[in-house]
Amino acid sequence: MSENDFRESIKLMRSRTGQLDREGNYWSEDEHRHLEHLFWKGVGISEMAVLLQRTEMAVMQQIDKMGLSCARQKRSNRRDKNVCQCIYCKQRNHCKNRKD
């Protein structure tokens, strides 16, 4: 996919002018594995959404649901490695990946 095609796909997705192929469907195990692979590879949310034919919000929700954002925070070099720094933990002071 060319850069122009990618940009156009993002514009169409964000403007909600058409439905994405997988939008509204349940996530399959293959899609979860693909999402996790893309996540750890460092692919951006928008690119993941285009590749998976999902909205950016759906991709972010699945990343949160799968606990990947917490896992990434735990892998980074921080002073206090026992406290998760994801948005979910900071707002609600709770996370399945948090070690208290």
Side-chain angles (χ1 to χ4, degrees), residues 2 5 12 15 20 22 29 31 51 78-79 82 87 93 99:
S2 73
D5 290 341
L12 292 173
S15 67
L20 299 166
R22 299 288 304 146
E29 287 301 316
E31 288 176 302
L51 292 170
R78 292 178 287 115
R79 287 184 194 153
N82 291 326
I87 294 170
N93 199 25
K99 294 180 181 177

Side-chain angles (χ1 to χ4, degrees), residues 5 8 17 23 26-28 30 32 34 38 40-42 55 58 60 62 64-65 70-71 73 82-83 87 94 100:
D5 290 341
E8 189 60 31
T17 55
E23 183 179 0
Y26 287 106
W27 287 70
S28 70
D30 285 340
H32 280 130
H34 191 196
L38 294 171
W40 289 117
K41 205 171 157 187
T55 63
M60 290 187 290
Q62 287 301 311
D64 185 50
K65 183 178 175 182
C70 291
Q73 289 293 329
N82 291 326
V83 179
I87 294 170
H94 176 272
D100 285 335

Side-chain angles (χ1 to χ4, degrees), residues 41-96:
K41 205 171 157 187
V43 175
I45 299 294
S46 298
E47 189 173 351
M48 284 188 231
V50 170
L51 292 170
L52 295 167
Q53 286 295 289
R54 301 286 186 159
T55 63
E56 292 165 306
M57 182 58 70
V59 170
M60 290 187 290
Q61 288 172 340
Q62 287 301 311
I63 287 170
D64 185 50
K65 183 178 175 182
M66 294 168 67
L68 295 174
S69 57
C70 291
R72 178 180 279 170
Q73 289 293 329
K74 292 186 103 176
R75 290 179 72 183
S76 67
N77 292 329
R78 292 178 287 115
R79 287 184 194 153
D80 187 357
K81 294 187 185 276
N82 291 326
V83 179
C84 183
Q85 297 294 317
C86 74
I87 294 170
Y88 182 79
C89 291
K90 286 180 179 181
Q91 289 177 349
R92 294 175 186 86
N93 199 25
H94 176 272
C95 181
K96 66 182 180 182

